[in-house]
Amino acid sequence: MLTLKNFELQVSSTIIQRGRQYFEDGAVIDLEETDNNYWQAEVAGTSTYSIEIKLGNKNKIEDYSCDCPYDGDTCKHVVAVLFLLKEELSGKIARAKNANQPDFKKLLQKINVEEYQEFILAHATKDKNFKSVFELWFAHKDERIDTAKKYTDLIKIIIRKHASEGFIDYRATYSLTNEIKKLVAKGDALLAKKNFREAFTLTRAVLKQVTELIEYSDDSNGNIGDAIFSIIQLIENISLAKEPTIELKEQIFSFLQTELSNQLYFDYGDFGYEMITVYQSLAELLKKEKEFLQYVDTQIAKYIAGKRDFRKDYFLVRKIEFLKAIGKEGEIRKLIQQNLDVVEIRKGEVESAINKKDFLMAKKLIAGGIKIAEKEKHPGIVSDWEEELLRVAIIEKDKETIRFYTKRFAFDRWFNRDYYIQWKKTFTNTEWRTVIEKYIEDKITEINKQHQNNKSKLWYSPDALSLDALAPIYIEEKYWDRLLILVCKETELDRILQYHDHLSKHYPTELVDLYIPAFERKGDIAGNRVEYANLAGKMKRVIKSIPAGKEKIIGVAKMLSMKYPRRPAMIQELNKVIILEKGKSEQ
C-alpha cells in the first residue's frame, strides 16, 4: 500500500532523488485541495505539468496522474508533489494552511451577480475555450446553443493547443489524451444523469475529431487509440441503454453507418470492428436488416473472389451471425456451405455437430479443416483443429486418440505440463512407468543420433539437448538423481540456477561444488555494474538456501575482488556478499 509515509521506499531511488530535487528547488506551484482529499498542483520542468492526487484514509495514495510524457509507473513530478503534500499535511512548512488563508468557497459567496457576470464576460471575450466550456455547462438554459458545434470547436481548440506545425508528437499525446479523457468523463456523467442525447452529441463530435487526429500523430504509446476505444465504448453504452428513445437510437445507427465508410477506423486500429459490433446490435434492435446486410455485402464484395483475406472472412462471419439473429435459416445454410473454407464458419459447424452428438460429422469437418490449413501452410491453424479432435476424443472417451494428441501437445515445441498430466492420467501407475521409461530411452537415442548426424554443424553438446528435453520430465516424476546427473554436466551459471529450487534440498553439497567454478566464470566475463550486481544477487540467493556453502561462495567473492582491483564497481557489489561473513544483515 502506497502512502505519504512510505512512498520513498516504494518508488525507485532514481525517481525519488529527482523528485526531491524538484521539490527542494521550489518547482511545485499552486498545490491546492480542490475537493475533499483531492489535490492538484503544477510542476515546472521542461514544460509545466499538471498533477492530480487522491488520498484516502491514513494518507493512503489511492490514485495519481501527471500529464508529462514519462511512461513508467511514477514520475519525478508526482514525487515532487508528494514531498510537498507530505509536509503540507504534517504542518512542517510555513506554507501550510492557516486561519488567515483565503477560503475559495467563502470568497464565492461574497461575490454578487453583477460581479459574476462582469468576470464571465471579461474572460469569455479573451478566452474562447472558457466561453465554450461555459456555454456547454449551461446549454440546457438556452435551446439556441448549438452544443454539437460547441463540442467540435472545443475539441479543435484542445487539439490545436497540443499540435506543432499540424502534428502531434509522442510527448504531446499524453497531455492531449488527458484532456480528451475529461470530455469522455463528462459524457459518462451525462449518461449517468440519463441525458442520453447530450451524451451522444458530445461523443459524436469528439470521435470524429480524434479519429481524424490519429492520421497526423505519433501514437506509438497508444494513448490516442485508447481514447478512441473509450469513446466508442461510451457510444455503445448509450445505444444499449433501455431509456433512450427509438429516434435517438436511429440517429446513432445512421451516424455509425456514415462513419464506418471512413477507412481510418480500420487502417489505424480495430476501431471500425468495435463500431460494427454496436452497429449490428442496433440493426437487430431497430429491425434495420436491409441496411446492415447491404453494408456487409458491400464490404465482402471489395475482396477478390477465391482469395483469402481475414477481412472478408470477418464480414462473412458477421453476416451469418446476423442472419441467425433475425431467423433467416434458409440463407444461412447456403452461405455456410459456400464458405466452409473460413475457419470460424467451419468451427461453428463443428460446434453444432458436437452439440447434436454427431461426432462423426464433427471429425469429418475437422479433417477437412486440417486439409485446407495444411494446403495453405498454416501450422497454427492445423494445431487448433487437432485440439478440436482431442476435445471430441475426450467426449467420446477415445483413450487412444487422447493419448496420441496429449503426448504430442505435451512436447510440441516446448513442454506443456497440463497436456503431460492429461497424457499420464490415461495410464495406470504400472503402465505409466513402462511408457515414460520408453519415452525417455527413445528421446536419448534420438538426441544422440541427431547429434551424430549434425556433429560438424552444432556448437553445443548432446548433454545440453538432453537437459532441455528431459529435465521437465525428471521434475514431474521427481527423478532428482537423474536431473542432478544432467545438471552436473552444465557449466553455465544461469542454466544451473534454473534447477536450483528442485535440487537444493536434495543435493546441497553437490550444487555448491557446481556453483563455485560457475560463479568464478561469471565474474570473469561480467563487464558492468548491472552484471556485477546480478552476480552478487545470485551468490546471496545460493547462500540463503544453502547456508553450508556460505564460506566457499564468500571465498569466490574475495578472490574476484582481489583478481580485479581496478573494477571498483565489482568490488562494491561483491562486498555485499563478503559482509555476510561477519553475520551482518544484507544491505
Side-chain angles (χ1 to χ4, degrees):
M1 180 176 72
L2 194 65
T3 68
L4 287 179
K5 186 176 181 180
N6 69 16
F7 75 89
E8 293 177 68
L9 302 175
Q10 298 200 35
V11 178
S12 80
S13 58
T14 302
I15 297 295
I16 289 293
Q17 185 178 357
R18 292 173 180 172
R20 181 184 287 279
Q21 190 64 54
Y22 267 65
F23 161 66
E24 291 176 351
D25 290 346
V28 183
I29 52 179
D30 294 333
L31 177 64
E32 181 183 1
E33 187 175 16
T34 56
D35 200 352
N36 187 30
N37 283 334
Y38 282 87
W39 293 80
Q40 290 184 342
E42 291 187 340
V43 176
T46 309
S47 181
T48 299
Y49 301 110
S50 297
I51 292 85
E52 295 182 358
I53 295 174
K54 179 185 177 184
L55 297 179
N57 293 333
K58 298 181 180 179
N59 287 338
K60 176 186 176 184
I61 303 167
E62 293 188 350
D63 196 13
Y64 56 84
S65 67
C66 177
D67 60 3
C68 76
Y70 180 67
D71 56 3
D73 186 31
T74 310
C75 69
K76 58 190 176 185
H77 310 110
V78 168
V79 169
V81 175
L82 290 176
F83 275 119
L84 179 57
L85 189 55
K86 182 178 181 179
E87 294 199 0
E88 188 84 15
L89 294 178
S90 63
K92 290 183 179 178
I93 57 174
R95 294 170 59 184
K97 290 186 178 181
N98 54 52
N100 295 322
Q101 189 170 1
D103 186 304
F104 186 70
K105 290 182 179 179
K106 289 182 179 179
L107 176 62
L108 290 178
Q109 292 168 5
K110 294 177 181 179
I111 302 171
N112 61 40
V113 174
E114 289 78 11
E115 289 171 323
Y116 273 120
Q117 291 175 343
E118 183 181 351
F119 172 83
I120 291 165
L121 284 170
H123 278 73
T125 302
K126 297 177 182 178
D127 189 341
K128 290 183 178 180
N129 189 27
F130 171 80
K131 183 180 178 184
S132 293
V133 172
F134 185 86
E135 286 179 328
L136 286 169
W137 187 274
F138 294 104
H140 60 285
K141 299 284 187 180
D142 188 346
E143 293 181 356
R144 294 172 298 176
I145 294 176
D146 185 348
T147 55
K149 184 177 184 305
K150 292 296 178 185
Y151 284 124
T152 301
D153 290 344
L154 181 59
I155 190 66
K156 283 181 177 178
I157 291 170
I158 291 171
I159 290 170
R160 280 198 300 271
K161 186 171 72 173
H162 294 86
S164 175
E165 298 182 355
F167 185 78
I168 309 293
D169 67 21
Y170 170 81
R171 292 178 178 273
T173 60
Y174 287 89
S175 53
L176 169 65
T177 50
N178 275 341
E179 295 202 46
I180 293 171
K181 286 176 185 177
K182 290 175 183 177
L183 285 174
V184 176
K186 179 176 174 60
D188 288 327
L190 289 167
L191 178 62
K193 294 176 181 177
K194 302 191 183 301
N195 191 344
F196 302 106
R197 187 171 299 279
E198 188 68 15
F200 174 58
T201 300
L202 183 155
T203 51
R204 177 175 57 190
V206 175
L207 180 63
K208 288 172 70 70
Q209 294 300 318
V210 176
T211 303
E212 291 176 10
L213 165 72
I214 201 169
E215 197 172 12
Y216 51 92
S217 302
D218 177 0
D219 192 39
S220 50
N221 53 33
N223 284 338
I224 297 175
D226 289 344
I228 293 174
F229 276 122
S230 66
I231 298 164
I232 296 170
Q233 181 63 59
L234 182 52
I235 291 175
E236 181 176 12
N237 293 341
I238 296 167
S239 65
L240 297 183
K242 294 179 180 179
E243 297 91 337
T245 63
I246 293 297
E247 179 192 0
L248 178 59
K249 294 193 177 189
E250 287 183 341
Q251 286 181 19
I252 299 173
F253 182 83
S254 297
F255 169 74
L256 292 172
Q257 191 171 47
T258 301
E259 288 303 297
L260 284 169
S261 64
N262 185 347
Q263 196 59 33
L264 284 176
Y265 290 109
F266 299 92
D267 291 344
Y268 288 88
D270 293 334
F271 317 122
Y273 300 109
E274 292 292 322
M275 291 164 67
I276 289 169
T277 300
V278 186
Y279 183 54
Q280 180 176 335
S281 299
L282 282 172
E284 293 172 20
L285 176 69
L286 300 171
K287 309 296 183 188
K288 300 277 189 180
E289 294 93 344
K290 182 180 177 182
E291 290 89 338
F292 183 78
L293 289 172
Q294 186 176 14
Y295 167 74
V296 172
D297 286 337
T298 301
Q299 301 308 308
I300 293 171
K302 288 181 179 179
Y303 306 104
I304 301 170
K307 189 174 180 180
R308 309 291 301 150
D309 190 293
F310 81 91
R311 291 162 295 187
K312 179 182 177 181
D313 293 352
Y314 169 84
F315 285 109
L316 282 166
V317 172
R318 277 290 185 186
K319 184 173 182 178
I320 290 171
E321 286 178 357
F322 187 73
L323 289 172
K324 284 181 180 178
I326 63 176
K328 301 281 187 179
E329 292 297 329
E331 294 181 42
I332 292 170
R333 294 314 311 162
K334 182 180 178 182
L335 193 61
I336 287 174
Q337 292 306 314
Q338 290 174 341
N339 295 283
L340 276 173
D341 57 329
V342 178
V343 173
E344 291 303 316
I345 293 175
R346 184 175 287 265
K347 279 187 175 180
E349 288 299 281
V350 169
E351 196 64 40
S352 177
I354 290 173
N355 291 337
K356 294 174 183 176
K357 300 190 184 305
D358 189 349
F359 302 120
L360 185 62
M361 175 56 72
K363 288 185 281 190
K364 184 178 177 181
L365 286 163
I366 294 169
I370 290 174
K371 188 174 180 181
I372 293 169
E374 287 176 338
K375 183 180 178 181
E376 296 181 350
K377 297 180 180 179
H378 290 154
I381 296 175
V382 172
S383 295
D384 289 345
W385 283 125
E386 288 176 338
E387 288 184 7
E388 288 294 298
L389 283 176
L390 174 58
R391 182 161 75 102
V392 173
I394 291 170
I395 295 170
E396 289 190 296
K397 298 181 180 178
D398 179 355
K399 190 178 287 187
E400 289 307 310
T401 302
I402 294 171
R403 286 174 177 173
F404 177 82
Y405 283 112
T406 51
K407 178 183 177 182
R408 175 189 286 188
F409 297 152
F411 303 105
D412 185 22
R413 294 187 294 275
W414 56 82
F415 181 75
N416 186 301
R417 184 172 183 270
D418 292 336
Y419 283 121
Y420 182 85
I421 292 171
Q422 198 174 358
W423 176 40
K424 181 176 180 178
K425 284 181 177 178
T426 64
F427 298 95
T428 65
N429 289 339
T430 304
E431 289 172 333
W432 178 247
R433 289 298 146 218
T434 303
V435 168
I436 198 59
E437 290 299 337
K438 177 71 166 57
Y439 178 84
I440 293 170
E441 182 183 341
D442 290 346
K443 180 55 68 173
I444 292 171
T445 302
E446 177 190 328
I447 290 169
N448 288 331
K449 184 177 179 181
Q450 177 184 345
H451 190 265
Q452 284 298 320
N453 292 340
N454 299 281
K455 192 187 308 184
S456 60
K457 302 176 185 178
L458 299 177
W459 56 269
Y460 48 82
S461 71
D463 296 327
L465 291 174
S466 295
L467 182 61
D468 289 336
L470 299 176
I473 297 173
Y474 292 165
I475 290 168
E476 286 301 316
E477 304 303 325
K478 295 182 171 52
Y479 292 166
W480 307 125
D481 53 341
R482 301 193 202 183
L483 179 61
L484 178 66
I485 290 170
L486 288 179
V487 172
C488 280
K489 296 176 182 179
E490 276 294 330
T491 58
E492 176 60 37
L493 175 61
D494 291 331
R495 291 272 285 174
I496 299 169
L497 277 168
Q498 285 182 34
Y499 307 100
H500 179 86
D501 292 339
H502 300 293
L503 294 174
S504 58
K505 293 178 182 178
H506 306 284
Y507 302 103
T509 303
E510 291 83 351
L511 269 187
V512 169
D513 289 342
L514 280 177
Y515 281 130
I516 297 306
F519 282 137
E520 185 174 351
R521 276 189 295 272
K522 199 70 170 179
D524 289 336
I525 64 173
N528 56 57
R529 183 177 288 276
V530 171
E531 292 176 355
Y532 303 149
N534 184 271
L535 172 61
K538 288 170 181 174
M539 286 178 163
K540 290 193 285 184
R541 174 189 168 188
V542 175
I543 289 172
K544 185 176 181 180
S545 59
I546 311 177
K550 177 178 175 180
E551 186 177 336
K552 289 184 178 180
I553 295 169
I554 289 174
V556 174
K558 288 181 176 180
M559 180 273 294
L560 287 170
S561 295
M562 294 175 65
K563 188 175 182 180
Y564 299 106
R566 295 185 179 180
R567 296 184 185 178
M570 172 186 271
I571 294 169
Q572 286 175 9
E573 294 299 331
L574 291 178
N575 277 341
K576 296 176 184 178
V577 179
I578 296 169
I579 200 172
L580 300 178
E581 185 176 40
K582 300 176 182 178
K584 295 183 180 181
S585 59
E586 296 180 25
Q587 301 298 306

